[in-house]
Amino acid sequence: MTDVHPIERTVIDTIDTDGLLAFLGDLVALPSLDGSPDEQAAQEYVAAFLERQGFEMDVWEIDFDTLRRHPSFSAEVERQRGSGVVGMLGMGAGPTLIFNGHVDVVPAGDQALWHFPPWQTTIADGFVYGRGALDMKGGLACAVFAAKAIRDAGVRLKGRLLIQSVIGEEDGGCGTLATVLRGHTGDGAIVVEPTGLCIAPAQAGALNFRLTVPGAAAHGCVREEGVSAIELFIPLYRALMDLEARRNAEARRRDDAVSRLYARYTTPYALSIGVVRAGEWASTVAETLVAEGRYGVAVGENLAEARRMLEETVARAAQADPWLREHPPRLEWWGGQFAPASTPLEHPLVETTAAAFAAITGVPATLEGMTYGADMRLLVHDGRTPTILFGPGDVRDAHRPNERVAIADLETATRTLALTALRFCGAG
């Protein structure tokens, strides 16, 4: 470590890596799928842990009836209950910094494809394996143990540090929205998503959509007398892929500070069909096809304009087919609606985190935009809180079998977060 004050070094030396791994193991053992009882159990676990460490706590039941009426609300899962959890350290008049992390995870999928059981942590070859170890219980553990080290070292902050543990990020961000509306905002926030230890002052948007294509049923032995919704979907899909190519080509032609954060990506704003359901019977021509996907939105792009482009693409493709001209497909915007967001590169939060990373590692920080949607946009747009993404691990290991995060990344992220908090909030 370089350019580190003795008080800062004391905090960094106080970080309990073994305790962090045990905390992460306990969280991974809770299959906290969106809307499941274990999502709530994970929140209760984090709240109890923070309270035992002496953090001032705000734990509350989220009023979903009210939350659903907010224009920034989106969700794919219907929840009857869920908790907000915020642990607070320091009550000074200096700047307030937020560490934000979610406890919800995506399903494990076919467990036969996993080398290790998904609902427990397994340490092998320097990695921690398990569903949620990367996305993003590992990042949340880093945030908790960075703050814990400050408290354990007896350092008083001149400002405040908030640990926000939230639900519902994977399906739309209801937990962070509820936390922001509760009043937990600040002068800066770090969402501990897996960024590969890059500092991300920008996140792309991602809008869920559903496309329903009508056909006409017939017995398979006289299929020419029916209209296959599967065959009709093929030109629609090609039109969508052409739209993706055009939008990303246009984004690559831009030459501004935010666009340069995405320079290494060929397709930073991807349009991906993730689910296709069609037909009712093997020997019946499919009378309906439903395709669900996500639509990448560029940083700074107007959401209404982005939606209009996709809607017009589907309408034009439908006009080219005689059947679809008379029986137009239906396009719906549903589920997670992640707006893009960014924070100026010259903001003190970006500069402080970059300097902390360099001091911990001895190498300059890399600034890069993230291509996935995240809760950053709720903190920026609804909470008026400048926000970055920064956390351990590669997002390419998320949402797939054998999810993993490197222990070395967990250690580096925790040290960087602790040092950032000391410098951003001020240490007395």
Side-chain angles (χ1 to χ4, degrees):
M1 294 184 292
T2 59
D3 301 322
V4 175
H5 188 276
I7 292 177
E8 297 171 340
R9 186 176 294 274
T10 297
V11 170
I12 292 165
D13 290 343
T14 304
I15 292 171
D16 178 10
T17 300
D18 290 339
L20 185 156
L21 293 175
F23 175 90
L24 177 55
D26 289 344
L27 272 185
V28 170
L30 295 169
S32 48
L33 303 172
D34 286 277
S36 71
D38 279 318
E39 185 182 43
Q40 175 65 19
Q43 284 290 78
E44 293 170 357
Y45 174 84
V46 174
F49 183 89
L50 289 173
E51 188 170 22
R52 287 197 304 272
Q53 307 312 310
F55 286 75
E56 181 183 351
M57 299 302 299
D58 183 18
V59 181
W60 72 98
E61 284 287 316
I62 296 172
D63 180 356
F64 284 102
D65 289 338
T66 299
L67 194 65
R68 288 185 191 97
R69 294 195 289 270
H70 194 277
S72 294
F73 177 83
S74 67
E76 298 171 27
V77 174
E78 185 72 19
R79 291 175 176 80
Q80 298 305 314
R81 68 173 302 227
S83 292
V85 174
V86 176
M88 294 165 277
L89 183 65
M91 296 301 293
T96 295
L97 178 64
I98 295 166
F99 293 158
N100 172 289
H102 65 83
V103 298
D104 57 308
V105 297
V106 300
D110 184 354
Q111 297 192 24
L113 299 176
W114 287 72
H115 300 320
F116 306 106
W119 302 116
Q120 68 180 51
T121 53
T122 301
I123 296 176
D125 303 320
F127 289 88
V128 181
Y129 289 81
R131 176 57 88 220
L134 171 74
D135 184 19
M136 61 183 296
K137 293 175 177 179
L140 179 58
C142 293
V144 167
F145 276 77
K148 180 178 181 296
I150 294 172
R151 180 169 180 82
D152 290 348
V155 175
R156 295 177 61 86
L157 296 176
K158 295 180 180 179
R160 296 196 309 153
L161 178 61
L162 308 185
I163 307 297
Q164 298 180 349
S165 181
V166 301
I167 63 173
E169 189 276 343
E170 295 288 358
D171 78 312
C174 63
T176 292
L177 179 61
T179 302
V180 164
L181 297 178
R182 180 82 167 179
H184 293 297
T185 58
D187 300 288
I190 301 176
V191 180
V192 287
E193 289 282 4
T195 65
L197 299 177
C198 294
I199 294 169
Q203 61 134 101
L207 307 178
N208 275 22
F209 67 92
R210 179 183 294 120
L211 182 62
T212 302
V213 183
H219 195 292
C221 70
V222 286
R223 70 173 185 82
E224 296 92 343
E225 297 179 13
V227 179
S228 170
I230 297 172
E231 294 176 15
L232 292 172
F233 175 65
I234 293 171
L236 296 177
Y237 178 75
R238 288 174 179 154
L240 293 176
M241 292 298 97
D242 288 344
L243 174 65
E244 178 195 61
R246 293 196 307 274
R247 286 169 52 78
N248 282 274
E250 180 182 343
R252 289 194 300 273
R253 286 194 293 270
R254 300 191 193 106
D255 187 23
D256 54 55
V258 170
S259 296
R260 287 192 288 273
L261 294 173
Y262 291 91
R264 79 180 179 96
Y265 292 97
T266 303
T267 311
Y269 309 114
L271 194 165
S272 174
I273 301 295
V275 175
V276 176
R277 297 183 293 270
E280 299 292 338
W281 194 254
S283 61
T284 300
V285 173
E287 65 181 349
T288 306
L289 178 144
V290 179
E292 295 174 348
R294 62 92 72 186
Y295 176 46
V297 181
V299 177
E301 185 175 11
N302 179 273
L303 287 183
E305 175 65 15
R307 290 189 179 102
R308 184 189 63 78
M309 291 178 68
L310 192 143
E311 291 164 358
E312 290 182 352
T313 295
V314 171
R316 282 195 301 270
Q319 281 296 308
D321 181 270
W323 173 267
L324 291 179
R325 197 179 306 138
E326 298 298 324
H327 307 83
R330 184 171 73 254
L331 180 64
E332 305 168 76
W333 300 102
W334 73 286
Q337 301 291 296
F338 295 80
S342 64
T343 293
L345 275 61
E346 65 275 12
H347 190 277
L349 176 64
V350 178
E351 295 177 344
T352 302
T353 310
F357 178 85
I360 293 296
T361 64
V363 299
T366 298
L367 270 62
E368 190 172 284
M370 294 297 119
T371 59
Y372 50 78
D375 279 353
M376 172 182 178
R377 97 278 187 190
L378 296 168
L379 287 154
V380 169
H381 299 313
D382 294 281
R384 299 293 185 261
T385 300
T387 304
I388 62 173
L389 306 177
F390 171 78
D394 188 338
V395 71
R396 291 164 183 80
D397 289 322
H399 293 211
R400 64 189 303 180
N402 305 307
E403 179 178 345
R404 66 179 190 171
V405 61
I407 295 174
D409 275 16
L410 294 171
E411 293 173 334
T412 297
T414 307
R415 292 168 183 161
T416 301
L417 291 169
L419 187 53
T420 300
L422 292 169
R423 293 181 175 181
F424 190 85
C425 299

